[in-house]
Amino acid sequence: MSATACIAGAEKDLAAHGALTGPTRISEGTARAIESSVRAVAPAAKIVRVTVSEPDHLWLARAYDADGATVPLPQQHEEAVARWIAVAQPQRDWRLQHDLDLATGDLTVAGLLGQVA
């Protein structure tokens, strides 16, 4: 089986489990708390991207502004915010990067937020 076929099969499997089907909305209270925490230290942040670094399972959150430029987060916030988002949505496939839109509370696989209508 080709590498392309393996990747396509993996994407179908992820889609079947809801990982690629679009955004999930985090509860309003949790979304507002995360937004408040992030904006307190990074006021220009619009999106938070969560990444799990393998093999150490290091959770990282990176913030981006409306233009896609990185907005620095204090180091102590990076792991705490990433874990907070993951705890709010444990059913997501955290092997993939995910983006949280701070304005809406929508969480989706990284890069798809701009494609969601």
Side-chain angles (χ1 to χ4, degrees):
M1 182 182 298
S2 73
T4 303
C6 287
I7 292 168
E11 287 176 351
K12 284 181 185 177
D13 185 48
L14 291 171
H17 290 88
L20 297 176
T21 58
T24 301
R25 180 136 314 156
I26 290 179
S27 74
E28 187 174 340
T30 301
R32 293 301 144 236
I34 292 169
E35 175 189 25
S36 177
S37 176
V38 170
R39 293 223 171 118
V41 295
K46 301 292 183 204
I47 301 289
V48 173
R49 178 164 291 168
V50 177
T51 304
V52 180
S53 176
E54 295 292 345
D56 300 327
H57 299 291
L58 177 63
W59 292 81
L60 299 172
R62 297 285 192 254
Y64 298 90
D65 66 15
D67 296 323
T70 303
V71 178
L73 284 177
Q75 187 173 14
Q76 66 269 23
H77 272 69
E78 290 180 5
E79 186 172 358
V81 169
R83 287 191 180 276
W84 195 357
I85 293 168
V87 166
Q89 291 292 311
Q91 74 279 13
R92 301 298 287 198
D93 183 350
W94 291 105
R95 294 173 296 178
L96 304 171
Q97 291 182 326
H98 284 73
D99 288 343
L100 175 67
D101 183 320
L102 293 175
T104 66
D106 286 343
L107 180 72
T108 192
V109 173
L112 296 181
L113 281 174
Q115 299 172 12
V116 176

